[in-house]
PDB file of all heavy atoms in Angstrom:
ATOM      1  N   SER A 815    -101.951 -52.906 123.033  1.00 97.00           N
ATOM      2  CA  SER A 815    -101.469 -51.594 122.597  1.00 97.00           C
ATOM      3  C   SER A 815    -100.718 -50.956 123.759  1.00 97.00           C
ATOM      4  O   SER A 815    -101.268 -50.103 124.472  1.00 97.00           O
ATOM      5  CB  SER A 815    -102.649 -50.715 122.165  1.00 97.00           C
ATOM      6  OG  SER A 815    -102.179 -49.463 121.688  1.00 97.00           O
ATOM      7  N   PRO A 816     -99.460 -51.348 123.938  1.00 97.00           N
ATOM      8  CA  PRO A 816     -98.710 -50.889 125.117  1.00 97.00           C
ATOM      9  C   PRO A 816     -98.585 -49.367 125.168  1.00 97.00           C
ATOM     10  O   PRO A 816     -98.473 -48.691 124.123  1.00 97.00           O
ATOM     11  CB  PRO A 816     -97.336 -51.545 124.940  1.00 97.00           C
ATOM     12  CG  PRO A 816     -97.567 -52.683 124.011  1.00 97.00           C
ATOM     13  CD  PRO A 816     -98.675 -52.256 123.112  1.00 97.00           C
ATOM     14  N   SER A 817     -98.571 -48.864 126.397  1.00 97.00           N
ATOM     15  CA  SER A 817     -98.368 -47.433 126.610  1.00 97.00           C
ATOM     16  C   SER A 817     -97.243 -47.251 127.625  1.00 97.00           C
ATOM     17  O   SER A 817     -96.905 -48.185 128.364  1.00 97.00           O
ATOM     18  CB  SER A 817     -99.651 -46.789 127.123  1.00 97.00           C
ATOM     19  OG  SER A 817    -100.010 -47.350 128.365  1.00 97.00           O
ATOM     20  N   PRO A 818     -96.646 -46.064 127.665  1.00 97.00           N
ATOM     21  CA  PRO A 818     -95.509 -45.851 128.577  1.00 97.00           C
ATOM     22  C   PRO A 818     -95.822 -46.161 130.040  1.00 97.00           C
ATOM     23  O   PRO A 818     -94.926 -46.561 130.788  1.00 97.00           O
ATOM     24  CB  PRO A 818     -95.185 -44.366 128.369  1.00 97.00           C
ATOM     25  CG  PRO A 818     -95.556 -44.114 126.953  1.00 97.00           C
ATOM     26  CD  PRO A 818     -96.818 -44.919 126.736  1.00 97.00           C
ATOM     27  N   ASN A 819     -97.073 -46.006 130.471  1.00 97.00           N
ATOM     28  CA  ASN A 819     -97.376 -46.296 131.876  1.00 97.00           C
ATOM     29  C   ASN A 819     -97.396 -47.795 132.166  1.00 97.00           C
ATOM     30  O   ASN A 819     -97.622 -48.212 133.323  1.00 97.00           O
ATOM     31  CB  ASN A 819     -98.688 -45.636 132.327  1.00 97.00           C
ATOM     32  CG  ASN A 819     -99.909 -46.172 131.603  1.00 97.00           C
ATOM     33  OD1 ASN A 819     -99.840 -47.184 130.910  1.00 97.00           O
ATOM     34  ND2 ASN A 819    -101.030 -45.504 131.770  1.00 97.00           N
ATOM     35  N   GLN A 820     -97.167 -48.607 131.166  1.00 98.00           N
ATOM     36  CA  GLN A 820     -97.020 -50.043 131.378  1.00 98.00           C
ATOM     37  C   GLN A 820     -95.545 -50.454 131.465  1.00 98.00           C
ATOM     38  O   GLN A 820     -95.244 -51.637 131.586  1.00 98.00           O
ATOM     39  CB  GLN A 820     -97.733 -50.825 130.270  1.00 98.00           C
ATOM     40  CG  GLN A 820     -99.240 -50.665 130.340  1.00 98.00           C
ATOM     41  CD  GLN A 820     -99.967 -51.385 129.226  1.00 98.00           C
ATOM     42  OE1 GLN A 820     -99.776 -51.086 128.038  1.00 98.00           O
ATOM     43  NE2 GLN A 820    -100.813 -52.331 129.595  1.00 98.00           N
ATOM     44  N   THR A 821     -94.677 -49.480 131.450  1.00 98.00           N
ATOM     45  CA  THR A 821     -93.270 -49.742 131.738  1.00 98.00           C
ATOM     46  C   THR A 821     -93.168 -50.204 133.177  1.00 98.00           C
ATOM     47  O   THR A 821     -93.579 -49.490 134.101  1.00 98.00           O
ATOM     48  CB  THR A 821     -92.432 -48.467 131.520  1.00 98.00           C
ATOM     49  OG1 THR A 821     -92.409 -48.147 130.125  1.00 98.00           O
ATOM     50  CG2 THR A 821     -91.003 -48.656 132.024  1.00 98.00           C
ATOM     51  N   SER A 822     -92.642 -51.402 133.367  1.00 97.00           N
ATOM     52  CA  SER A 822     -92.645 -51.983 134.703  1.00 97.00           C
ATOM     53  C   SER A 822     -91.844 -53.284 134.699  1.00 97.00           C
ATOM     54  O   SER A 822     -91.347 -53.728 133.668  1.00 97.00           O
ATOM     55  CB  SER A 822     -94.091 -52.254 135.153  1.00 97.00           C
ATOM     56  OG  SER A 822     -94.144 -52.661 136.502  1.00 97.00           O
ATOM     57  N   LEU A 823     -91.759 -53.886 135.878  1.00 97.00           N
ATOM     58  CA  LEU A 823     -91.161 -55.212 136.048  1.00 97.00           C
ATOM     59  C   LEU A 823     -92.310 -56.187 136.276  1.00 97.00           C
ATOM     60  O   LEU A 823     -93.104 -55.995 137.210  1.00 97.00           O
ATOM     61  CB  LEU A 823     -90.204 -55.196 137.237  1.00 97.00           C
ATOM     62  CG  LEU A 823     -89.463 -56.485 137.586  1.00 97.00           C
ATOM     63  CD1 LEU A 823     -88.670 -57.004 136.400  1.00 97.00           C
ATOM     64  CD2 LEU A 823     -88.543 -56.244 138.782  1.00 97.00           C
ATOM     65  N   TYR A 824     -92.401 -57.194 135.443  1.00 98.00           N
ATOM     66  CA  TYR A 824     -93.528 -58.119 135.474  1.00 98.00           C
ATOM     67  C   TYR A 824     -93.086 -59.493 135.976  1.00 98.00           C
ATOM     68  O   TYR A 824     -92.048 -60.011 135.571  1.00 98.00           O
ATOM     69  CB  TYR A 824     -94.141 -58.269 134.082  1.00 98.00           C
ATOM     70  CG  TYR A 824     -94.838 -57.028 133.610  1.00 98.00           C
ATOM     71  CD1 TYR A 824     -94.133 -56.016 132.968  1.00 98.00           C
ATOM     72  CD2 TYR A 824     -96.196 -56.843 133.839  1.00 98.00           C
ATOM     73  CE1 TYR A 824     -94.773 -54.856 132.550  1.00 98.00           C
ATOM     74  CE2 TYR A 824     -96.842 -55.695 133.421  1.00 98.00           C
ATOM     75  CZ  TYR A 824     -96.120 -54.700 132.782  1.00 98.00           C
ATOM     76  OH  TYR A 824     -96.756 -53.553 132.384  1.00 98.00           O
ATOM     77  N   PHE A 825     -93.921 -60.071 136.842  1.00 98.00           N
ATOM     78  CA  PHE A 825     -93.663 -61.398 137.363  1.00 98.00           C
ATOM     79  C   PHE A 825     -94.862 -62.299 137.139  1.00 98.00           C
ATOM     80  O   PHE A 825     -96.002 -61.918 137.389  1.00 98.00           O
ATOM     81  CB  PHE A 825     -93.369 -61.353 138.861  1.00 98.00           C
ATOM     82  CG  PHE A 825     -92.070 -60.713 139.212  1.00 98.00           C
ATOM     83  CD1 PHE A 825     -92.039 -59.399 139.658  1.00 98.00           C
ATOM     84  CD2 PHE A 825     -90.881 -61.409 139.094  1.00 98.00           C
ATOM     85  CE1 PHE A 825     -90.832 -58.799 139.976  1.00 98.00           C
ATOM     86  CE2 PHE A 825     -89.670 -60.817 139.406  1.00 98.00           C
ATOM     87  CZ  PHE A 825     -89.654 -59.500 139.849  1.00 98.00           C
ATOM     88  N   CYS A 826     -94.561 -63.501 136.718  1.00 98.00           N
ATOM     89  CA  CYS A 826     -95.552 -64.567 136.649  1.00 98.00           C
ATOM     90  C   CYS A 826     -95.346 -65.462 137.863  1.00 98.00           C
ATOM     91  O   CYS A 826     -94.209 -65.621 138.342  1.00 98.00           O
ATOM     92  CB  CYS A 826     -95.350 -65.358 135.355  1.00 98.00           C
ATOM     93  SG  CYS A 826     -96.502 -66.718 135.130  1.00 98.00           S
TER      94      CYS A 826
END
Side-chain angles (χ1 to χ4, degrees):
Chain A
S815 182
S817 62
N819 64 12
Q820 292 178 298
T821 292
S822 187
L823 180 56
Y824 291 86
F825 291 100
C826 180

